[in-house]
Amino acid sequence: TNIMAKEAGGITQHIGAYQTIWKDPKTQAERAITFIDTPGHEAFSMMRSRGAKVADIAILIVAADDSVKPQTVEAINIIKAAKLPFVVAINKIDKEAADLDRVKSDLSQHGIVPEEWGGDVPIVGISAKNNLNIDKLLDVLLLVTDVNADKIKADSNVPAVGTIIEAHVNKGMGPVATVLVQAGTLYATDKLVVNGEIYGKVRAMKNYRGDTIDKATPSMPVQIMGFKVAPEVGDILDVSQADTATEIDVKQKRSQQTGAEKAIQSDAGSQDSDEKKKMLNVVVKADVLGSLEAIVTSLAKIRHDEVGVQVVGKGLGNITENDVAKAETAGATVVGFNVRPTPTAEETMRDKEIPFLSYSVIYDFINWIKAELENM
């Protein structure tokens, strides 16, 4: 589906999901496989472990020329912790520096022994760029599915239960969330119950291609309109609780999400030591919750005795005058991640000389933070 071509910097930054229809090599019957596309950058470990919780099978992708890297080890740990059956895809086998035996040897040091070496992990060499052996990888996935069928089959005749894998506020449509249905069937009139609260009612559902559908069965990723407030990534949608759930307090929830909460101390020192530190203050706005969460998590990992980062405001959507006022009070830099300031906010920042930065790739932003801290 070439999702990557639509992403900034050629990396997938939003956890997405899509389906491919594939012929079973044994029965020739067409079967749907849903892919949850989780990003590879270290900042996304939070989202990755969430992705692992909603998956039935994992595909561990290792570059044939790079072999095992720290992110690979982290992904291996997540797969093991989630107790998922998995397949290894060694990508970039078309490159000159590709060394499959080295990759297999490195993997075996982390307890992953290939089938041809007497282990139980299927390994497929692929080239995503040249579309090499992708069909073989899909065949292997179906085999692994059949072996584990008793653990991963879902009942479609019950009220729907699923996980929110992405959420954002769309200008025209309001709050929109992508849900992966894990059991039951979600219908176009169902109440949207998240954490025991009714967030609204399904107004419209679209599949990954953008076609409107009236029901979603297990393993289907759907984009849902009808939320009064965007839910959090990782939240569980459970329609079976509709009778006992309470209506959500929209105003309170919104103020929590738009960054009206107190500033987060992202440098986890005590208050006293923070007062002595020079702090770099930032107001961060992003287009989707997944990205915002990844940014805040990354900033929390930056530690230093003399300097620190403080998020004095955060939220979803475009940069408003309220964000600018917050930045002015705290002497902060306003940072937009795939979002723009409103015309009034832009004018105010110009007039008051409040620094504003715009990013679409997370590590450019993290690198700027590190450089600023070094200067301080």
Side-chain angles (χ1 to χ4, degrees), residues 313-358:
K314 63 173 184 142
L316 291 181
N318 285 336
I319 293 146
T320 62
E321 285 174 89
N322 186 21
D323 300 315
V324 176
K326 227 176 271 178
E328 190 187 9
T329 312
T333 300
V334 179
V335 181
F337 197 78
N338 286 325
V339 292
R340 299 290 317 152
T342 62
T344 339
E346 197 162 12
E347 206 176 308
T348 313
M349 286 192 287
R350 229 187 356 257
D351 292 348
K352 302 196 168 171
E353 295 181 351
I354 292 163
F356 165 64
L357 297 167
S358 174

Side-chain angles (χ1 to χ4, degrees), residues 178-250:
T178 304
V179 173
L180 184 75
V181 178
Q182 283 157 286
T185 302
L186 185 66
Y187 293 98
T189 51
D190 281 344
K191 284 181 178 167
L192 295 166
V193 185
V194 178
N195 302 335
E197 292 183 299
I198 299 168
Y199 273 61
K201 183 176 158 181
V202 179
R203 209 171 61 230
M205 276 193 290
K206 292 182 176 180
N207 64 13
Y208 75 97
R209 284 201 204 93
D211 307 327
T212 301
I213 52 172
D214 54 9
K215 66 175 184 179
T217 50
S219 290
M220 247 181 130
V222 279
Q223 208 176 38
I224 298 176
M225 280 131 278
F227 285 93
K228 290 176 184 168
V229 188
E232 297 275 336
V233 175
D235 276 352
I236 304 296
L237 173 81
D238 186 352
V239 179
S240 70
Q241 295 181 0
D243 295 341
T244 54
T246 52
E247 287 286 340
I248 191 168
D249 182 336
V250 177

Side-chain angles (χ1 to χ4, degrees), residues 90-107:
I90 301 178
N91 190 25
K92 304 184 185 179
I93 58 169
D94 53 311
K95 290 183 94 168
E96 266 180 44
D99 185 346
L100 268 72
D101 282 339
R102 177 187 151 215
V103 178
K104 288 173 187 175
S105 167
D106 288 352
L107 284 169

Side-chain angles (χ1 to χ4, degrees), residues 69-179:
K69 288 275 187 244
Q71 285 102 297
T72 321
V73 177
E74 184 206 23
I76 291 168
N77 292 337
I78 286 170
I79 291 168
K80 284 181 177 170
K83 297 186 170 63
L84 286 174
F86 67 103
V87 174
V88 175
I90 301 178
N91 190 25
K92 304 184 185 179
I93 58 169
D94 53 311
K95 290 183 94 168
E96 266 180 44
D99 185 346
L100 268 72
D101 282 339
R102 177 187 151 215
V103 178
K104 288 173 187 175
S105 167
D106 288 352
L107 284 169
S108 66
Q109 288 173 21
H110 292 278
I112 295 175
V113 184
E115 280 180 336
E116 66 262 40
W117 290 10
D120 55 2
V121 181
I123 292 187
V124 185
I126 62 165
S127 163
K129 203 173 179 180
N130 298 325
N131 198 0
L132 199 64
N133 289 347
I134 304 294
D135 48 359
K136 194 174 162 190
L137 178 64
L138 297 179
D139 289 344
V140 170
L141 272 182
L142 290 179
L143 287 172
V144 174
T145 303
D146 293 338
V147 169
N148 294 281
D150 56 328
K151 293 188 204 127
I152 61 182
K153 273 221 166 88
D155 182 357
S156 58
N157 300 316
V158 293
V161 175
T163 301
I164 311 286
I165 54 175
E166 193 46 273
H168 67 281
V169 179
N170 177 296
K171 249 194 190 141
M173 298 185 286
V176 177
T178 304
V179 173

